[in-house]
Amino acid sequence: MNVLVTGGAGYIGSHTCVELLQSNHNVVVVDNLCNSKREALSRVEKITGRRLAFVQADIRDRNALDAVFSRHPTDAVLHFAGLKAVGESVAQPSRYFENNVLGTKNLIEAMGDHHVKKLVFSSSALVYGSEYAPPLTEDLLPNPGNPYAENKAEIESMLQDLSGADAEWRIRILRYFNPVGAHPSGLIGEDPQGKPNNIMPNITQAAVGRLSFVEVFGNDYPTHDGTGIRDYIHITDLAKGHLSALQRLSKGANVLICNLGTGRGFSVLELISTFEKAASRRIPYQFGPRRPGDVPVLFASCTRAEKALVWRAEKSLFDMCKDSWHWQNMNPGGY
Ligand SMILES: NC(=O)c1ccc[n+]([C@@H]2O[C@H](COP(=O)([O-])OP(=O)(O)OC[C@H]3O[C@@H](n4cnc5c(N)ncnc54)[C@H](O)[C@@H]3O)[C@@H](O)[C@H]2O)c1
């Protein structure tokens, strides 16, 4: 297949490009590099021994998208491009709406005009909000608790309406839980700009001395060790979930929402102690207050993805920690 990957230079996009190229798909990446580096794509080519096409463009730029679709025959789009920092979305809601919601609207209009009607979209477990008890199933009504999660819920709804209006569209909406880890080669991985928001880059940066300690938000949750429990999923398992979704786009419902997680939760302290074993070093940490909106326990029901995508996450928490460490140790300053 000829696959257009928006946001392909980013963390999840770059790992998915590896899987696509290794499965003999042709890849065109569109990315404005606002949160990534071109180097990630050179590394993807190094890992796979294959070339991809790169267009530095913004998905809000309709002329640029038209040029891409005119020049590159496209069968399907994997849409990762977006801003993803929850705190930033609270501070800059209109920027997030403009980039994420209006950017996606622009993309699907360009796709429709160029008769490209196969789409896999990156959504988030954050659309469930904080009210539901796990395991979270896809039929729960979205209950987003911040502007970023609202963007995802609005896009999901727009895609469902689109499918209702035009049955030619084939759409998969994938709700990620907590992607961590890196490609086992250590050549690509998560490389946040500025202070990392997610727990794993905080741990890896503390491991290489870029941060003096990891702040653990809350140790008074009703869990076995007081810290929050999350469903961590290895980035290569997540990337493979996209390939399964792509391969089965023509089968089943026109539009389908699927969780991508492992269905198992681990506490922050379990994550840190597993990392310490994988990296053979101690990780300094300090407890801070709970973050507003955080819930004690979150993990996915994976039944739908297992059935509809014929996909299941395979890698362990130890694999996630080992590969995250390998990446950061080989690239202490990132790309
Ligand atoms: N990483 C996570 O924990 C997580 C969890 C759930 C959902 N997601 C979603 O998955 C997708 C990918 O996340 P990621 O972790 O790889 O993030 P990332 O920031 O590493 O990658 C996103 C990429 O999109 C690009 N981009 C952003 N806005 C753009 C625009 N207007 N035009 C063109 N390119 C643009 C960025 O430069 C970046 O390369 C995002 O939509 C994110 O919301 C991520």
Side-chain angles (χ1 to χ4, degrees):
M1 260 193 230
N2 296 313
V3 185
L4 179 73
V5 183
T6 74
Y11 173 46
I12 304 173
S14 58
H15 287 80
T16 306
C17 285
V18 167
E19 302 298 328
L20 287 167
L21 291 170
Q22 285 179 337
S23 300
N24 275 329
H25 296 293
N26 299 315
V27 173
V28 177
V29 167
V30 171
D31 198 305
N32 65 2
L33 302 181
C34 69
N35 196 38
S36 54
K37 306 234 168 71
R38 174 73 182 83
E39 174 64 16
L41 296 174
S42 305
R43 305 266 184 107
V44 166
E45 292 182 328
K46 192 168 174 192
I47 292 168
T48 59
R50 292 196 56 208
R51 302 298 302 269
L52 52 74
F54 172 60
V55 180
Q56 183 168 352
D58 196 299
I59 56 162
R60 291 166 295 175
D61 179 345
R62 180 60 201 263
N63 290 338
L65 291 185
D66 283 339
V68 171
F69 284 116
S70 302
R71 260 179 232 144
H72 301 276
T74 305
D75 299 306
V77 175
L78 300 190
H79 176 32
F80 297 97
L83 301 173
K84 63 166 182 176
V86 170
E88 199 178 64
S89 79
V90 174
Q92 304 171 20
S94 61
R95 176 172 167 239
Y96 266 66
F97 182 85
E98 220 251 315
N99 194 82
N100 295 348
V101 181
L102 299 184
T104 302
K105 172 182 168 283
N106 202 42
L107 174 70
I108 58 178
E109 283 172 358
M111 287 176 67
D113 287 350
H114 292 269
H115 310 290
V116 180
K117 295 189 176 178
K118 291 192 171 111
L119 176 69
V120 179
F121 170 63
S122 303
S123 190
S124 165
L126 288 177
V127 298
Y128 291 112
S130 54
E131 299 302 314
Y132 301 120
L136 299 170
T137 51
E138 293 87 346
D139 50 3
L140 294 166
L141 278 182
N143 185 18
N146 57 67
Y148 166 76
E150 280 163 14
N151 293 168
K152 294 294 187 194
E154 282 160 16
I155 295 167
E156 287 193 358
S157 161
M158 175 163 65
L159 295 178
Q160 285 169 314
D161 291 344
L162 180 65
S163 161
D166 178 354
E168 283 181 20
W169 280 87
R170 307 289 309 180
I171 300 172
R172 296 295 173 260
I173 293 169
L174 305 180
R175 290 181 178 158
Y176 311 152
F177 279 65
N178 291 65
V180 295
H183 190 267
S185 64
L187 286 173
I188 56 172
E190 190 170 10
D191 183 26
Q193 320 286 304
K195 170 124 178 53
N197 294 301
N198 295 342
I199 179 75
M200 188 61 100
N202 270 285
I203 296 175
T204 59
Q205 292 193 9
V208 292
R210 273 170 71 181
L211 293 175
S212 49
F213 65 91
V214 176
E215 184 171 7
V216 177
F217 299 105
N219 62 342
D220 57 353
Y221 283 111
T223 60
H224 63 278
D225 61 18
T227 65
I229 291 180
R230 293 291 178 272
D231 185 340
Y232 298 102
I233 173 168
H234 195 292
I235 187 73
T236 60
D237 278 335
L238 189 80
K240 285 181 177 151
H242 292 76
L243 258 76
S244 298
L246 200 59
Q247 278 156 10
R248 287 170 188 78
L249 254 181
S250 310
K251 301 192 183 109
N254 289 1
V255 59
L256 188 71
I257 300 176
C258 281
N259 289 334
L260 293 186
T262 64
R264 228 189 127 182
F266 290 97
S267 74
V268 177
L269 291 186
E270 283 169 334
L271 179 67
I272 292 176
S273 72
T274 306
F275 188 93
E276 289 182 330
K277 286 190 200 104
S280 306
R281 59 181 58 203
R282 305 235 31 103
I283 302 300
Y285 64 86
Q286 291 179 13
F287 292 118
R290 293 181 181 193
R291 281 187 307 195
D294 271 355
V295 291
V297 185
L298 206 65
F299 58 89
S301 159
C302 302
T303 314
R304 186 181 284 178
E306 283 169 17
K307 282 195 190 136
L309 308 183
V310 196
W311 166 92
R312 185 195 290 257
E314 285 170 357
K315 296 199 171 185
S316 68
L317 192 69
F318 188 84
D319 295 329
M320 302 176 208
C321 293
K322 175 171 65 75
D323 291 336
S324 290
W325 169 238
H326 186 43
W327 147 254
Q328 194 76 80
N329 195 26
M330 279 178 66
N331 306 270
Y335 286 112

